[in-house]
């Protein structure tokens, strides 16, 4: 139930309704409020009577367990370098800078990620980013390379964002050891020690 009470600021005993005392001389319509007192007795008869009995067969049977699998990867399992994790093995391609094609560490591969770090601070040039990324990787790469059997690793690979990517929020640095600098013919054939 809704009640509406209208009062004016004076205590006059003017018998006219608020619409009549407005001074316009004529009657204005007074809005009315009506609330239904009962529900409709009939519902439309053309409503669907049931749910589908079968689901499409092409639905996936399992949901992905990681966000990365929701994105379509470029050919050859290539991913942006910043999606690599420590222990990932990969191949490089000079035609796809910033990309890494994941490989099994038990199969021939160009490099293995030793450490992933995050840049902090303000950098306005690619040279400043290169210097900061190299500093983040230097000690870890030297220590890990010294622990490898002789003639296993011959190079390092430090992957970092350029200044434009860094401004967009990409701050990962991948520190890797490689079989040969520049992706030559030599390969690593097992995980690093």
């Amino acid at each position: 139930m809704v009640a509406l009470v209208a009062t004016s600021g004076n205590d006059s005993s003017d018998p006219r309704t608020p619409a009549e005392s407005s001074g316009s001389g004529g009657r204005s319509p007074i809005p009315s409020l009506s609330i239904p007192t009962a529900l409709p007795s009939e519902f439309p008869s053309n409503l669907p009577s049931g749910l589908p009995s079968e689901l499409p067969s092409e639905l996936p049977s399992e949901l992905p367990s990681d966000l990365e699998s929701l994105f379509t990867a470029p050919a050859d399992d290539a991913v942006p370098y910043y999606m690599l994790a420590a222990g990932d093995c990969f191949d490089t391609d000079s035609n796809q800078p910033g990309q890494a094609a994941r490989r099994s560490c038990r199969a021939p591969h160009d490099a293995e990620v030793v450490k992933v770090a995050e840049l902090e601070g303000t950098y306005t040039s690619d040279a400043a980013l290169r210097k900061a990324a190299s500093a983040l990787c230097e000690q870890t790469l030297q220590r890990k390379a010294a622990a490898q059997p002789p003639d296993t690793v011959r190079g390092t690979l430090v992957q970092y964002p350029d200044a434009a990517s860094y401004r967009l929020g990409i701050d990962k640095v991948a520190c890797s050891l490689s079989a040969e600098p520049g992706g030559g013919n030599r390969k690593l054939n097992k995980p690093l020690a």
Side-chain angles (χ1 to χ4, degrees):
M1 181 168 137
V2 175
L4 179 61
V5 177
T7 60
S8 65
N10 63 21
D11 289 331
S12 71
S13 58
D14 186 356
R16 294 182 294 173
T17 65
E20 293 175 322
S21 65
S22 66
S24 64
R27 281 193 89 132
S28 300
I30 300 173
S32 65
L33 179 63
S34 65
I35 299 175
T37 57
L39 292 174
S41 60
E42 293 184 27
F43 289 102
S45 61
N46 59 353
L47 293 175
S49 60
L51 296 174
S53 60
E54 293 182 24
L55 293 175
S57 60
E58 61 274 354
L59 290 176
S61 60
E62 295 182 14
L63 294 174
S65 61
D66 60 343
L67 180 62
E68 183 180 320
S69 68
L70 296 175
F71 298 103
T72 304
D76 297 328
D77 299 323
V79 296
Y81 83 87
Y82 53 83
M83 293 182 79
L84 295 172
D88 282 351
C89 296
F90 63 95
D91 284 341
T92 60
D93 183 348
S94 61
N95 294 324
Q96 292 183 333
Q99 297 290 313
R102 287 190 173 141
R103 299 289 178 251
S104 166
C105 291
R106 303 243 176 250
H109 56 279
D110 292 335
E112 181 177 330
V113 179
V114 173
K115 174 184 175 181
V116 174
E118 289 184 12
L119 291 162
E120 293 180 2
T122 304
Y123 304 97
T124 57
S125 70
D126 292 343
L129 284 161
R130 178 177 41 251
K131 184 177 178 181
S134 294
L136 284 173
C137 294
E138 185 176 15
Q139 290 181 357
T140 303
L141 290 176
Q142 287 176 356
R143 188 173 46 253
K144 189 73 169 184
Q148 301 311 306
D151 206 35
T152 303
V153 296
R154 293 186 176 182
T156 61
L157 177 61
V158 176
Q159 295 167 295
Y160 58 96
D162 61 14
S165 298
Y166 186 69
R167 282 190 298 273
L168 292 174
I170 298 173
D171 60 358
K172 300 279 190 227
V173 175
C175 313
S176 306
L177 291 175
S178 65
E180 193 168 324
N185 294 330
R186 289 179 42 96
K187 300 279 188 179
L188 296 172
N189 292 307
K190 60 183 180 177
L192 296 173

